[in-house]
Amino acid sequence: MNRTVSERLAAIVILALGGYWFFESFRFGELSALFPRIIAVALMVFTTIWLAQSFNRQWSVQPTDRATNRRAARQSLSLIVALLAWTALVPWIGLLYASTLGVTGLTLASFWGKEGTRRSVVVALVVVMVFYAAFRFLIRVPFPLPIWMQ
Amino acid sequence: MVEHLLTALATATSPLSLLLVACGVCAGIVVGALPGLTATMAIALLVPFTFSMQPVHGLVLLGSIYTGAIYGGSFSAILINTPGTPSAIATTFDGFPLARKGESYRAIVTATVASVVGGLIGVLFLIFLAPPLARASLRFGPPEYFWLAIFGLTIIAAVSPRNTLKGLIGGAIGLLVSTIGIAPIEGAVRYTFRSISLQGGVALVPSLIGFFCIPEVLRMVYESGSVAQVLPYKRQRNMLQRVTLALVRKPWLLIRSALIGTLVGIIPGAGGNIAGLVAYNEAVRADKNKGKYGKGAIEGVAASEAANNASVPGALIPMMTLGVPGAPPAAVLFGALLLHGIRPGAELFTVYGRIAYGFIAALVLANIALLPFGLLLGRAISRIMMRLRVQALAPIIIFLSMVGSYALANNLADLYTMVGVGLVAYLLRGVGLAAGPIVLGMILGPMAEQGLLQSILMGRAAGSIVGVFFTRPISLLLIILTVLSVLTAIVVERKALIPRTE
């Protein structure tokens, strides 16, 4: 998706967001609605100008290596998926186990085949354990535990 | 006062006090450097440890931690583009670009020198001008808070140098996000999507971590095919002398920033984050070469850090003289004083003069101690960062972000907020909407709304809403500053020579 299309899409989404905020404000009392209404109107005005500008301007396309772009995009996507999975696992298996899986999975998924990846996983796991212990036992933060230990 | 100062100096330079200053500053720097851990949290955690100490020694330790933590936030702001404490938001604007150029140590040294100078200037105000400044801070009412917030929003232009329109859109998004939760006056529940977690609003610190950290990690991964290391390293000799000379050639930069930090710190509720942002904006406005900001100007780092460290003694001024804390860490210190049987107020400098001035003397030493400890820790941390591959650094940063977000309130909702906001910020960055203006809107929104609504109510009671907004002296001063700030932004935008292409 090129930059111009992305900007127009983003502008439309933000315009819709502003519209929602504006119309939702009618459910509140006078003073509660005043500030969100003013800001929503301002946001819709700015975004409309942005959308209009995007029809007058085209982003110049830089020649790029498609294979490199695809690989980079795949890495970023696998990082996002790994991050979401890591977050989703925390309430089920606790922060420690989820982070162990998350660090390993995230690193391998994003950097598979790259030099030094396996050693980096070990380094990252050691650092994570040290910080976990520091927060858990020194600062006494009660991290989420696995459901079988609750 | 002189007698108290001399006694205080003797107390503060005792071996135990010096040890407490050293430990407090180091602990504070480490806490401040970790995203999610705040100065307030650090002080609150250590208050119970001070029960068995003499009151003056307890305050020495807590004051040193406060000073170190506010400074420590600059480390992660510079090295991983994530403010370790909200006070370091403005430090990311030029600190991280410096690190990306291989000049992370130069940025850290600049932050250190500026923090020392800013903190010392703030302490001078605390010693000599505390009572009149505290009385002035009481003159800040709802209209003044409203105009202060509007003035703060004009910083959007400074942090969106090439596209003010997108900065305004980002700022408006941030202001809308700040309306989520319970309305300040009527108590209406707004935009919570029936979620109990959102009734308290969107948590600021997890959002900050998400906004600045997650997009940066994703960028690291995206570019990892083309860069050997996350952050390049250039060997830098005699850095302290070079940075000091560069800053000495611009004395007004540090003095102005420290003054702004102290004055903003005095205003209850304003805090180091606003101080840093306002000082950064003024540094940009005052500089003839505005185009260098946002690309690695040490002046930007110096302005932010001088202001946020000056806000530490600034926040203590109303706390010590009137019992009104200027910032959350000062509120915790207020509690610590009460626990030791000392009531802040007029008596603090007379009946408890030895304790009050001993604490102030310790703040002087703590600021001076930032120089050796800050430089040592800064060099060590930046060297470690240089050696780490992105495969190790990315997951470590994500883990620290998760832990930091969760540890604030032991709430999983904060963790989800951090990740969700981070992913949204990554998408917005792809279309040119930067995190800075959005964060500004989120921070200033509650102040602006509460100020606006309370002023309207005052105006209705007084029979003139316009009069309430436009006839008070401090409000008029803030309006003039706002207009100047907007005009400067318009002139800069028109004179911009940088072509708008990507």
Side-chain angles (χ1 to χ4, degrees), chain A residues 19 44 51-52 67 69 78 85 93-94 109 117 130 134:
Chain A
M44 288 192 286
L51 191 57
N69 267 355
S78 36
I93 64 173
T117 294
V130 166

Side-chain angles (χ1 to χ4, degrees), chain B residues 140-384:
Chain B
F140 259 74
E144 285 74 26
Y145 278 105
F146 171 71
W147 286 115
L148 179 64
I150 298 300
F151 175 57
L153 287 170
T154 64
I155 295 167
I156 283 172
V159 304
S160 316
R162 276 177 287 173
N163 201 325
T164 307
L165 178 64
K166 286 188 180 172
L168 288 170
I169 291 171
I173 292 174
L175 288 168
L176 284 188
V177 169
S178 77
T179 61
I180 294 174
I182 297 177
I185 300 287
E186 289 175 343
V189 178
R190 303 183 301 192
Y191 310 109
T192 58
F193 306 100
R194 299 187 187 207
S195 164
I196 294 173
S197 308
L198 286 177
Q199 283 191 4
V202 176
L204 179 65
V205 174
S207 301
L208 280 183
I209 297 172
F211 269 122
F212 288 98
C213 193
I214 300 297
E216 200 48 47
V217 170
L218 292 172
R219 183 202 62 79
M220 270 186 220
V221 171
Y222 191 86
E223 289 178 4
S224 63
S226 58
V227 297
Q229 287 169 289
V230 175
L231 295 173
Y233 181 69
K234 286 183 196 170
R235 193 175 167 81
Q236 294 155 24
R237 290 187 176 188
N238 304 321
M239 190 51 64
L240 180 59
Q241 292 93 304
R242 284 159 54 191
V243 164
T244 307
L245 274 171
L247 292 177
V248 159
R249 287 195 195 110
K250 300 187 178 190
W252 288 114
L253 172 71
L254 288 182
I255 293 171
R256 182 184 56 237
S257 304
L259 281 174
I260 289 171
T262 309
L263 293 174
V264 173
I266 289 170
I267 304 167
N273 45 6
I274 295 175
L277 290 164
V278 173
Y280 182 86
N281 186 44
E282 292 308 303
V284 172
R285 265 193 338 117
D287 203 317
K288 288 177 188 162
N289 182 8
K290 298 178 199 322
K292 66 184 178 188
Y293 287 87
K295 296 176 192 160
I298 65 164
E299 292 85 351
V301 173
S304 169
E305 286 301 308
N308 68 29
N309 263 74
S311 72
V312 169
L316 294 173
I317 289 174
M319 188 276 281
M320 293 176 79
T321 54
L322 301 168
V324 178
V332 181
L333 280 167
F334 177 81
L337 280 171
L338 289 178
L339 280 168
H340 284 282
I342 300 162
R343 182 143 194 101
E347 281 187 345
L348 189 64
F349 290 91
T350 50
V351 175
Y352 301 103
R354 190 183 78 88
I355 295 171
Y357 285 105
F359 173 51
I360 293 171
L363 282 180
V364 172
L365 293 176
N367 276 289
I368 295 170
L370 287 180
L371 197 59
F373 293 114
L375 292 180
L376 276 169
L377 284 168
R379 187 193 284 267
I381 292 172
S382 58
R383 277 193 173 160
I384 291 169

Side-chain angles (χ1 to χ4, degrees), chain A residues 15-116:
Chain A
L15 210 48
L17 190 77
Y20 167 76
W21 236 261
F22 180 79
F23 287 108
E24 185 72 5
S25 71
F26 285 98
R27 296 200 311 115
F28 312 136
E30 179 199 354
L31 290 178
S32 299
L34 180 63
F35 190 76
R37 212 174 272 167
I38 294 171
I39 303 303
V41 166
L43 178 64
M44 288 192 286
V45 167
F46 297 145
T47 311
T48 305
I49 297 172
W50 181 28
L51 191 57
Q53 281 182 349
S54 74
F55 285 100
N56 288 336
R57 176 177 55 211
Q58 294 286 335
W59 291 105
S60 58
V61 178
Q62 302 289 337
T64 51
D65 176 359
R66 280 194 173 185
T68 307
N69 267 355
R70 269 202 297 268
R71 187 181 64 238
R74 213 168 33 236
Q75 274 181 319
S76 295
L77 191 60
S78 36
L79 183 63
I80 291 171
V81 168
L83 177 60
L84 289 171
W86 184 350
T87 311
L89 282 173
V90 168
W92 297 102
I93 64 173
L95 184 71
L96 183 61
Y97 295 122
S99 298
T100 307
L101 287 174
V103 166
T104 314
L106 188 147
T107 311
L108 293 176
S110 300
F111 302 102
W112 182 256
K114 206 169 157 58
E115 187 197 333

Side-chain angles (χ1 to χ4, degrees), chain B residues 368-421:
Chain B
I368 295 170
L370 287 180
L371 197 59
F373 293 114
L375 292 180
L376 276 169
L377 284 168
R379 187 193 284 267
I381 292 172
S382 58
R383 277 193 173 160
I384 291 169
M385 295 285 293
M386 300 313 142
R387 286 183 166 78
L388 283 175
R389 290 174 181 267
V390 65
Q391 295 97 309
L393 196 57
I396 289 171
I397 292 173
I398 289 177
F399 175 74
L400 286 175
S401 302
M402 286 187 166
V403 160
S405 304
Y406 178 81
L408 255 124
N410 302 333
N411 189 349
L412 275 172
D414 289 339
L415 175 59
Y416 303 147
T417 299
M418 189 274 294
V419 173
V421 163

